[in-house]
Amino acid sequence: MEKLNAIITGIGGYVPDYVLTNEELSRMVDTTDEWIMERVGIKERRILTEEGLGTSYLARKAAKQLLEKTGADPDSIDALILTTTTPDYKFPSTASIVIGKLGLKNAFGFDFSAACCGFLYSLDVASTMIQSGRYKRIIVIAADKMSSIVDYTDRQTCVLFGDGAGAVLVEATTEEGIGVQDSFLRTDGKGLPFLHMKGGGSVCPPSQFTVDRRLHYLYQEGRTVFKYAVTSMSNDVKEILKRNNLTGDDVKWVVPHEANLRIIEAVAKRANLPIEKVVINIQRYGNTSAATIPLALWDEEAKFKKGDNFIFTAFGAGFVHGASYYKWAYDGASAVAKK
């Protein structure tokens, strides 16, 4: 049996229409456009404002565009992996809702929880499933409605996050030298005190107490998370380069988790990679958690050429972190023309 490689054959994305600007945030909390731009590099973020719509809506819109763009038959999809921190419900899975809405009759699906590293981890899982030979076509969706867990009275966190979704089609190929080449993924388990949501889980179930104390919002110790993120992501990138005998000259594109512009710049500097090679769109979308990497790919797809070497890297609650080496499998400009 020929060796199978897993390749991304298409990208879909979706961000809501409503734009939450720094100017509007400055009327909600004690902040300014200058303060936000200097510290995190975010100018605006998209927010899903319609009542009754959650993460599954964002995910479905991205996946629907993906199917239309690629022309993939919905009946040919074997599985759907949806990674999110903000599921529609505790149960059923958000993946099951999306499968039902899209009419994927032959697919099974599940939610994957790895916070801001969700896309990195899910792509690796999908790649392994493809390489097993049991599955041919898998949709990976990263989607988060971060506005649903952000405290808009906390100026430290409310400026960071936005809503959005990115989706990729992962398929099998026997062509050598393209697709997912290597992944270095780690979970160190030290991050609970520094980045979490206190209320709503089995340790601290919902109650009047948790609501009164605003425990159902994201909590973050910014300085600690910043330090861990820079150290972990830069070390992971260096490790993936070393393992694959790559230098900075061999890398065409670096696509990091879009958490904070200062983090991105620090990671690139520590890993000796020119900032010109780094795909950055945080200024327009903010931190969309798991969705940042696929949204960046969706945004810049036209620039990518078959054979380009990519490094993906991310860091999130847990702490979870990692980096992946991916070799692009198609001419992005021709794919964008299909839109």
Side-chain angles (χ1 to χ4, degrees), residues 180-200:
V180 178
Q181 302 295 299
D182 191 20
S183 294
F184 179 79
L185 308 175
R186 291 293 184 270
T187 303
D188 66 23
K190 299 174 183 176
L192 175 61
F194 312 110
L195 183 53
H196 60 263
M197 188 169 72
K198 292 182 173 70

Side-chain angles (χ1 to χ4, degrees), residues 115 154 156-157 160-161 188-198 217-229 232 315-320:
D154 176 11
Q156 300 295 329
T157 57
L160 296 172
F161 297 98
D188 66 23
K190 299 174 183 176
L192 175 61
F194 312 110
L195 183 53
H196 60 263
M197 188 169 72
K198 292 182 173 70
Y217 293 116
L218 176 151
Y219 169 82
Q220 174 175 268
E221 278 189 28
R223 289 185 179 179
T224 302
V225 172
F226 185 102
K227 180 181 71 173
Y228 270 95
S232 299
F315 175 90
F319 293 124
V320 294

Side-chain angles (χ1 to χ4, degrees), residues 14 23 47 55 65 74 78 85-86 96 105 152 172 199 204 239 250 256 294 330 339:
Y14 177 75
E23 181 184 359
I47 304 295
T55 295
Q65 185 193 80
D78 297 313
T85 304
T86 56
S96 69
K105 299 175 183 177
Y152 284 97
C204 188
E239 178 65 23
D250 298 317
Y330 63 92
K339 287 185 179 179

Side-chain angles (χ1 to χ4, degrees), residues 101-121:
K101 293 287 187 180
L102 292 176
L104 307 182
K105 299 175 183 177
N106 298 314
F108 77 97
F110 56 91
D111 287 3
F112 194 102
S113 178
C116 299
C117 257
F119 178 76
L120 212 60
Y121 281 31

Side-chain angles (χ1 to χ4, degrees), residues 26-39:
S26 70
R27 298 195 295 268
M28 299 163 61
V29 292
D30 181 18
T31 191
T32 64
D33 175 69
E34 291 76 19
W35 188 91
I36 297 170
M37 288 297 295
E38 179 183 343
R39 285 163 177 78

